[in-house]
Amino acid sequence: MISSLRVFAYICIWTTPLQIALVLWGIGIIAVTDHSIISLSNIEFIRNYLGFLLPIIEWAYAWFWIAFLDWVFSLPMILHQTVKAIVSTWLGYWILKRTKKR
């Protein structure tokens, strides 16, 4: 159990550079287009710049709660990704700190 928690913690920490890169990419998009921080939602970003993920999103809509997915994809991408990066990094370090005591 502890080893699987540690793997999860390392994944949370290792994905932080990817999340920061997505935030910087979103800031770049805002700088050169008519989008604002609030208007560039997750689904707009995926539709316009990561179109290859659309079949996965359609699959998710077939299996998960539609209202929840609508809410998540309507969140502003930069704010959502920034909060997600902070929380996942903190969670990863917290789990590592808790599992190293044992």
mmCIF file of all heavy atoms in Angstrom, residues 47-65:
data_model
loop_
_atom_site.group_PDB
_atom_site.id
_atom_site.type_symbol
_atom_site.label_atom_id
_atom_site.label_comp_id
_atom_site.label_asym_id
_atom_site.label_seq_id
_atom_site.Cartn_x
_atom_site.Cartn_y
_atom_site.Cartn_z
ATOM 1 N N ARG A 47 -10.378 21.860 -27.948
ATOM 2 C CA ARG A 47 -10.912 21.883 -29.313
ATOM 3 C C ARG A 47 -9.959 22.565 -30.292
ATOM 4 O O ARG A 47 -9.777 22.101 -31.412
ATOM 5 C CB ARG A 47 -12.250 22.610 -29.349
ATOM 6 C CG ARG A 47 -13.400 21.777 -28.966
ATOM 7 C CD ARG A 47 -14.701 22.502 -29.221
ATOM 8 N NE ARG A 47 -15.798 21.772 -28.601
ATOM 9 C CZ ARG A 47 -16.783 22.329 -27.948
ATOM 10 N NH1 ARG A 47 -16.841 23.633 -27.815
ATOM 11 N NH2 ARG A 47 -17.724 21.594 -27.423
ATOM 12 N N ASN A 48 -9.369 23.687 -29.876
ATOM 13 C CA ASN A 48 -8.545 24.472 -30.792
ATOM 14 C C ASN A 48 -7.090 24.020 -30.875
ATOM 15 O O ASN A 48 -6.461 24.197 -31.920
ATOM 16 C CB ASN A 48 -8.590 25.948 -30.395
ATOM 17 C CG ASN A 48 -9.959 26.547 -30.573
ATOM 18 O OD1 ASN A 48 -10.726 26.115 -31.423
ATOM 19 N ND2 ASN A 48 -10.278 27.526 -29.758
ATOM 20 N N TYR A 49 -6.547 23.456 -29.805
ATOM 21 C CA TYR A 49 -5.113 23.189 -29.788
ATOM 22 C C TYR A 49 -4.743 21.735 -29.495
ATOM 23 O O TYR A 49 -3.608 21.339 -29.747
ATOM 24 C CB TYR A 49 -4.433 24.107 -28.763
ATOM 25 C CG TYR A 49 -4.685 25.555 -29.068
ATOM 26 C CD1 TYR A 49 -5.639 26.280 -28.375
ATOM 27 C CD2 TYR A 49 -4.007 26.186 -30.098
ATOM 28 C CE1 TYR A 49 -5.895 27.601 -28.680
ATOM 29 C CE2 TYR A 49 -4.252 27.501 -30.414
ATOM 30 C CZ TYR A 49 -5.190 28.205 -29.700
ATOM 31 O OH TYR A 49 -5.443 29.506 -30.018
ATOM 32 N N LEU A 50 -5.637 20.965 -28.950
ATOM 33 C CA LEU A 50 -5.374 19.551 -28.672
ATOM 34 C C LEU A 50 -6.517 18.694 -29.197
ATOM 35 O O LEU A 50 -7.096 17.884 -28.477
ATOM 36 C CB LEU A 50 -5.192 19.331 -27.158
ATOM 37 C CG LEU A 50 -4.023 20.042 -26.494
ATOM 38 C CD1 LEU A 50 -4.074 19.852 -24.991
ATOM 39 C CD2 LEU A 50 -2.707 19.541 -27.042
ATOM 40 N N GLY A 51 -6.836 18.855 -30.458
ATOM 41 C CA GLY A 51 -7.973 18.179 -31.063
ATOM 42 C C GLY A 51 -7.916 16.666 -31.022
ATOM 43 O O GLY A 51 -8.948 16.006 -31.036
ATOM 44 N N PHE A 52 -6.721 16.102 -30.932
ATOM 45 C CA PHE A 52 -6.607 14.650 -30.891
ATOM 46 C C PHE A 52 -7.188 14.060 -29.603
ATOM 47 O O PHE A 52 -7.421 12.856 -29.519
ATOM 48 C CB PHE A 52 -5.146 14.210 -31.064
ATOM 49 C CG PHE A 52 -4.234 14.651 -29.952
ATOM 50 C CD1 PHE A 52 -4.012 13.842 -28.855
ATOM 51 C CD2 PHE A 52 -3.594 15.883 -30.009
ATOM 52 C CE1 PHE A 52 -3.170 14.241 -27.835
ATOM 53 C CE2 PHE A 52 -2.746 16.293 -29.003
ATOM 54 C CZ PHE A 52 -2.544 15.471 -27.904
ATOM 55 N N LEU A 53 -7.468 14.898 -28.592
ATOM 56 C CA LEU A 53 -8.060 14.418 -27.345
ATOM 57 C C LEU A 53 -9.591 14.360 -27.381
ATOM 58 O O LEU A 53 -10.210 13.830 -26.459
ATOM 59 C CB LEU A 53 -7.623 15.313 -26.180
ATOM 60 C CG LEU A 53 -6.141 15.289 -25.827
ATOM 61 C CD1 LEU A 53 -5.859 16.271 -24.710
ATOM 62 C CD2 LEU A 53 -5.705 13.894 -25.445
ATOM 63 N N LEU A 54 -10.196 14.890 -28.426
ATOM 64 C CA LEU A 54 -11.660 14.920 -28.504
ATOM 65 C C LEU A 54 -12.315 13.533 -28.454
ATOM 66 O O LEU A 54 -13.354 13.382 -27.801
ATOM 67 C CB LEU A 54 -12.110 15.691 -29.732
ATOM 68 C CG LEU A 54 -11.927 17.210 -29.625
ATOM 69 C CD1 LEU A 54 -12.272 17.878 -30.947
ATOM 70 C CD2 LEU A 54 -12.740 17.779 -28.492
ATOM 71 N N PRO A 55 -11.772 12.493 -29.090
ATOM 72 C CA PRO A 55 -12.397 11.171 -28.927
ATOM 73 C C PRO A 55 -12.375 10.672 -27.481
ATOM 74 O O PRO A 55 -13.323 10.015 -27.036
ATOM 75 C CB PRO A 55 -11.548 10.256 -29.825
ATOM 76 C CG PRO A 55 -10.952 11.170 -30.823
ATOM 77 C CD PRO A 55 -10.735 12.470 -30.121
ATOM 78 N N ILE A 56 -11.345 11.008 -26.735
ATOM 79 C CA ILE A 56 -11.294 10.615 -25.324
ATOM 80 C C ILE A 56 -12.363 11.358 -24.534
ATOM 81 O O ILE A 56 -13.011 10.790 -23.655
ATOM 82 C CB ILE A 56 -9.885 10.882 -24.752
ATOM 83 C CG1 ILE A 56 -8.864 10.009 -25.475
ATOM 84 C CG2 ILE A 56 -9.844 10.638 -23.251
ATOM 85 C CD1 ILE A 56 -7.431 10.342 -25.179
ATOM 86 N N ILE A 57 -12.576 12.630 -24.863
ATOM 87 C CA ILE A 57 -13.601 13.411 -24.176
ATOM 88 C C ILE A 57 -14.987 12.867 -24.512
ATOM 89 O O ILE A 57 -15.844 12.754 -23.628
ATOM 90 C CB ILE A 57 -13.466 14.899 -24.535
ATOM 91 C CG1 ILE A 57 -12.174 15.437 -23.928
ATOM 92 C CG2 ILE A 57 -14.670 15.693 -24.064
ATOM 93 C CD1 ILE A 57 -11.817 16.817 -24.351
ATOM 94 N N GLU A 58 -15.216 12.510 -25.760
ATOM 95 C CA GLU A 58 -16.504 11.913 -26.128
ATOM 96 C C GLU A 58 -16.727 10.598 -25.399
ATOM 97 O O GLU A 58 -17.839 10.301 -24.950
ATOM 98 C CB GLU A 58 -16.562 11.711 -27.636
ATOM 99 C CG GLU A 58 -16.648 13.001 -28.410
ATOM 100 C CD GLU A 58 -16.522 12.793 -29.902
ATOM 101 O OE1 GLU A 58 -16.476 11.627 -30.360
ATOM 102 O OE2 GLU A 58 -16.475 13.809 -30.621
ATOM 103 N N TRP A 59 -15.682 9.804 -25.240
ATOM 104 C CA TRP A 59 -15.782 8.562 -24.478
ATOM 105 C C TRP A 59 -16.112 8.861 -23.019
ATOM 106 O O TRP A 59 -16.936 8.170 -22.409
ATOM 107 C CB TRP A 59 -14.465 7.784 -24.585
ATOM 108 C CG TRP A 59 -14.432 6.585 -23.703
ATOM 109 C CD1 TRP A 59 -14.935 5.354 -23.976
ATOM 110 C CD2 TRP A 59 -13.881 6.510 -22.388
ATOM 111 N NE1 TRP A 59 -14.725 4.511 -22.915
ATOM 112 C CE2 TRP A 59 -14.071 5.200 -21.929
ATOM 113 C CE3 TRP A 59 -13.230 7.420 -21.560
ATOM 114 C CZ2 TRP A 59 -13.656 4.788 -20.676
ATOM 115 C CZ3 TRP A 59 -12.809 7.000 -20.316
ATOM 116 C CH2 TRP A 59 -13.025 5.698 -19.882
ATOM 117 N N ALA A 60 -15.475 9.884 -22.445
ATOM 118 C CA ALA A 60 -15.742 10.246 -21.048
ATOM 119 C C ALA A 60 -17.197 10.658 -20.858
ATOM 120 O O ALA A 60 -17.820 10.320 -19.840
ATOM 121 C CB ALA A 60 -14.806 11.375 -20.606
ATOM 122 N N TYR A 61 -17.756 11.377 -21.821
ATOM 123 C CA TYR A 61 -19.163 11.769 -21.727
ATOM 124 C C TYR A 61 -20.091 10.562 -21.773
ATOM 125 O O TYR A 61 -21.207 10.619 -21.262
ATOM 126 C CB TYR A 61 -19.533 12.763 -22.827
ATOM 127 C CG TYR A 61 -19.306 14.196 -22.421
ATOM 128 C CD1 TYR A 61 -18.168 14.888 -22.832
ATOM 129 C CD2 TYR A 61 -20.231 14.861 -21.633
ATOM 130 C CE1 TYR A 61 -17.959 16.201 -22.459
ATOM 131 C CE2 TYR A 61 -20.031 16.173 -21.253
ATOM 132 C CZ TYR A 61 -18.897 16.837 -21.664
ATOM 133 O OH TYR A 61 -18.699 18.125 -21.283
ATOM 134 N N ALA A 62 -19.652 9.479 -22.356
ATOM 135 C CA ALA A 62 -20.478 8.276 -22.394
ATOM 136 C C ALA A 62 -20.446 7.522 -21.066
ATOM 137 O O ALA A 62 -21.372 6.772 -20.761
ATOM 138 C CB ALA A 62 -20.006 7.357 -23.518
ATOM 139 N N TRP A 63 -19.404 7.722 -20.265
ATOM 140 C CA TRP A 63 -19.230 6.928 -19.060
ATOM 141 C C TRP A 63 -19.372 7.698 -17.753
ATOM 142 O O TRP A 63 -19.583 7.091 -16.706
ATOM 143 C CB TRP A 63 -17.854 6.261 -19.077
ATOM 144 C CG TRP A 63 -17.809 5.135 -20.049
ATOM 145 C CD1 TRP A 63 -17.386 5.190 -21.339
ATOM 146 C CD2 TRP A 63 -18.251 3.803 -19.831
ATOM 147 N NE1 TRP A 63 -17.525 3.963 -21.941
ATOM 148 C CE2 TRP A 63 -18.045 3.088 -21.020
ATOM 149 C CE3 TRP A 63 -18.789 3.131 -18.745
ATOM 150 C CZ2 TRP A 63 -18.366 1.757 -21.150
ATOM 151 C CZ3 TRP A 63 -19.089 1.799 -18.887
ATOM 152 C CH2 TRP A 63 -18.884 1.122 -20.066
ATOM 153 N N PHE A 64 -19.194 9.015 -17.773
ATOM 154 C CA PHE A 64 -19.187 9.776 -16.529
ATOM 155 C C PHE A 64 -20.368 10.724 -16.455
ATOM 156 O O PHE A 64 -21.113 10.908 -17.415
ATOM 157 C CB PHE A 64 -17.872 10.553 -16.378
ATOM 158 C CG PHE A 64 -16.672 9.661 -16.281
ATOM 159 C CD1 PHE A 64 -15.764 9.606 -17.325
ATOM 160 C CD2 PHE A 64 -16.449 8.874 -15.175
ATOM 161 C CE1 PHE A 64 -14.656 8.787 -17.251
ATOM 162 C CE2 PHE A 64 -15.350 8.048 -15.093
ATOM 163 C CZ PHE A 64 -14.453 8.004 -16.127
ATOM 164 N N TRP A 65 -20.499 11.370 -15.323
ATOM 165 C CA TRP A 65 -21.588 12.296 -15.041
ATOM 166 C C TRP A 65 -21.466 13.521 -15.938
ATOM 167 O O TRP A 65 -20.517 14.296 -15.843
ATOM 168 C CB TRP A 65 -21.521 12.653 -13.580
ATOM 169 C CG TRP A 65 -22.657 13.427 -13.044
ATOM 170 C CD1 TRP A 65 -23.926 13.479 -13.517
ATOM 171 C CD2 TRP A 65 -22.620 14.258 -11.890
ATOM 172 N NE1 TRP A 65 -24.686 14.290 -12.735
ATOM 173 C CE2 TRP A 65 -23.915 14.786 -11.726
ATOM 174 C CE3 TRP A 65 -21.643 14.605 -10.990
ATOM 175 C CZ2 TRP A 65 -24.227 15.648 -10.692
ATOM 176 C CZ3 TRP A 65 -21.960 15.451 -9.956
ATOM 177 C CH2 TRP A 65 -23.238 15.959 -9.823
#
